[in-house]
Amino acid sequence: MMKLSSRLLRTICLAALLGAAPAIGSFAQEAPAPEAAAPAAVAPETVIATVGDDEITEGDLSFAAEDLAQDLGQMPAEERRAFLLRVLIDMKVMAGAAEKAGMDQTELFAQRLNYLKERALRRAYFADAIAGQVTEEAVRADYDKFVAEFQSQEEVRARHILVETKEEADAIKAELDAGGDFAAIAKEKSIDPGSGANGGDLGFFAQGMMVPEFETAAFALANPGDVSAPVQSQFGWHIIKLEEKRQSAPPTFEQVAPQIQQQVLMRVFNEKVEELMAGVTVNVTDPELKATMDAQDAAQATPAEGEAAQQ
């Protein structure tokens, strides 16, 4: 007897559901129709083609778009509807041939039909009971909690000039002390390919983001415009100019909403699955398969506990 609880497997299951479902918008209740589907004004029961006596509707096209989402992503948007219609026409023709051959009467077909039914029900349940709970209000509540727990720290914006030797650094420092333009010298002489072209500008950074020697010297500068003495690091010799100091602020809601949305979705998904699994006994009768699943659960137990402690 065992209860499946591996966090990794849940994540994979959620990814599979998201991959098979139409792309969701900013929030679950605002989910747009698949790109290959018809405009919203067209009813799902609208007939777009017939194959003999059988009809193909806009709803059928939407279902096909869900199943073939990966294929659709590899072709131009204007060709997707025609591609889906061709798939559905082939499906109708081949399904008719299979029925005439009695393939729908086999035990294997009954098993496959039951699987497809349960898969469709699973998608419907996910869309309604799980994704439907990922509202803007739920995401904003998580964002508000994040902001409340956010710990501000000092950040500096600095420029630097990087050269290979102390002699070069000393000469540049003397030039700066005589009134040389820091940004112009950085563009001309700095060997840092990332910042040199931007006049040595490194943007804002907090403690822990730079090598220790550089960071210590940068945060020791007191006032905007102050320039450090040459500082050695593993990359060479730096001369640093302080541009600005500030206290960090949390990102805006718009900047982090997609990430928080995914966090809320994962939390709701896990909670709902745990709720559904409560009291359900799972018995894996294949010994080798059971051993593999036990090993997966054991491997995920420690990381999952660590992640929970960080949240």
Side-chain angles (χ1 to χ4, degrees), residues 101-133:
M103 294 180 183
D104 59 331
Q105 303 302 314
T106 65
E107 182 178 347
L108 179 61
F109 177 79
Q111 292 176 350
R112 186 184 298 276
L113 188 62
N114 185 64
Y115 166 78
L116 294 174
K117 173 186 174 182
E118 291 182 344
R119 185 182 70 173
L121 287 170
R122 179 178 183 239
R123 290 182 182 177
Y125 185 86
F126 173 80
D128 183 68
I130 298 176
Q133 294 188 39

Side-chain angles (χ1 to χ4, degrees), residues 10 13-22 24 28 118-134 262 265-266 268-270 272-273 276:
R10 291 273 174 78
C13 290
L14 176 58
L17 279 168
L18 291 172
I24 61 175
E118 291 182 344
R119 185 182 70 173
L121 287 170
R122 179 178 183 239
R123 290 182 182 177
Y125 185 86
F126 173 80
D128 183 68
I130 298 176
Q133 294 188 39
V134 186
Q262 290 301 311
L265 181 61
M266 175 58 76
V268 174
F269 179 73
N270 280 322
K272 184 59 66 174
V273 173
L276 295 173

